[in-house]
Amino acid sequence: MVYNNVSVKTDELQELIYGCARNERGAQAKLYHLFYPRMMSMVRRYFPEQMQAEEILNNGFLRAFQKIESYSFKGSFEGWLRRIVFHAVADYASSNTKYKENVLLIEKDEFVHKDHAGRLYYNDLINLIHELPEATRTVFNMFVLDDLPHKQISKILGISEGTSKWHVSEARRMLKEKVEKLNLHIKK
């Protein structure tokens, strides 16, 4: 397996996990650095500000180190870690009052013309998503990128399903406007 451009054998990863279970700081540091880039990219999808993302990620790793004895070596360790870090993201988001605002549900999804979206690169789209308001960006990421249903999002964030749907609709509207404006500048 290759993590963070470092090749790690299954038995080496297993030994790191056992070391973390024994609370060995060196093993914890190696595991942290090994998975930091992938976990940070997930957190930054929701919270692009570096300091905020670092805090959330560190909370996620702390939880993982506290629960690492429960990892049963069934399934991928990265998937197990990703779930724990995702819960740290969700807990942070649900504790933030921005997500609990009651908003009117408007169910109108408009699509961006395929020529406009086709001119953008992945990083451009991610940057546009980062420009969304924090609450809207978080719900949009959970729904579109993590494929969570509105019911689950509403439970995680402590909002109604209608509010979750509104955030997704609002994100799509805002992204459509941003993509069209961006393409107007590209054409000139």
Side-chain angles (χ1 to χ4, degrees):
M1 291 177 271
V2 177
Y3 299 102
N4 194 16
N5 294 325
V6 176
S7 180
V8 178
K9 294 180 183 173
T10 304
D11 56 333
E12 290 176 273
L13 180 60
Q14 189 174 3
E15 189 52 44
L16 278 178
I17 293 167
Y18 285 135
C20 290
R22 292 187 300 266
N23 208 24
E24 294 174 5
R25 299 291 181 226
Q28 290 172 338
K30 284 181 184 176
L31 199 71
Y32 179 88
H33 291 294
L34 204 55
F35 288 96
Y36 176 91
R38 289 183 184 192
M39 296 303 118
M40 179 55 85
S41 68
M42 179 183 69
V43 174
R44 296 280 307 261
R45 281 198 331 242
Y46 295 97
F47 299 98
E49 292 82 25
Q50 182 68 29
M51 288 183 63
Q52 191 178 32
E54 288 278 347
E55 177 186 345
I56 296 165
L57 181 61
N58 287 338
N59 285 337
F61 269 104
L62 177 62
R63 289 179 187 184
F65 292 142
Q66 292 169 338
K67 296 179 179 186
I68 203 157
E69 289 180 355
S70 71
Y71 177 65
S72 62
F73 295 94
K74 294 178 183 166
S76 86
F77 177 76
E78 183 177 352
W80 180 85
L81 180 60
R82 184 174 294 277
R83 273 192 307 282
I84 290 176
V85 172
F86 178 78
H87 285 291
V89 168
D91 288 348
Y92 184 88
S94 67
S95 69
N96 191 325
T97 57
K98 292 179 188 177
Y99 301 92
K100 299 186 182 200
E101 297 171 358
N102 292 323
V103 292
L104 178 64
L105 172 62
I106 302 171
E107 273 292 335
K108 276 196 226 174
D109 285 341
E110 297 180 36
F111 296 96
V112 174
H113 192 276
K114 69 177 182 176
D115 291 339
H116 292 172
R119 291 191 192 116
L120 296 175
Y121 290 102
Y122 174 80
N123 288 336
D124 296 327
L125 290 171
I126 293 298
N127 288 336
L128 292 176
I129 291 170
H130 282 170
E131 292 175 8
L132 294 172
E134 190 173 308
T136 301
R137 178 181 64 242
T138 299
V139 174
F140 181 79
N141 280 332
M142 290 174 135
F143 184 75
V144 174
L145 300 177
D146 294 325
D147 202 28
L148 297 176
H150 288 294
K151 186 173 189 170
Q152 190 174 356
I153 295 169
S154 70
K155 285 180 183 175
I156 290 170
L157 297 179
I159 60 176
S160 71
E161 285 184 56
T163 300
S164 177
K165 290 176 182 179
W166 180 86
H167 279 294
V168 171
S169 179
E170 186 66 5
R172 287 180 175 159
R173 182 193 63 76
M174 294 171 80
L175 288 170
K176 178 181 183 270
E177 287 177 8
K178 289 175 184 288
V179 167
E180 288 173 351
K181 283 181 185 175
L182 189 62
N183 277 301
L184 289 176
H185 288 87
I186 291 172
K187 286 182 181 179
K188 290 181 181 180

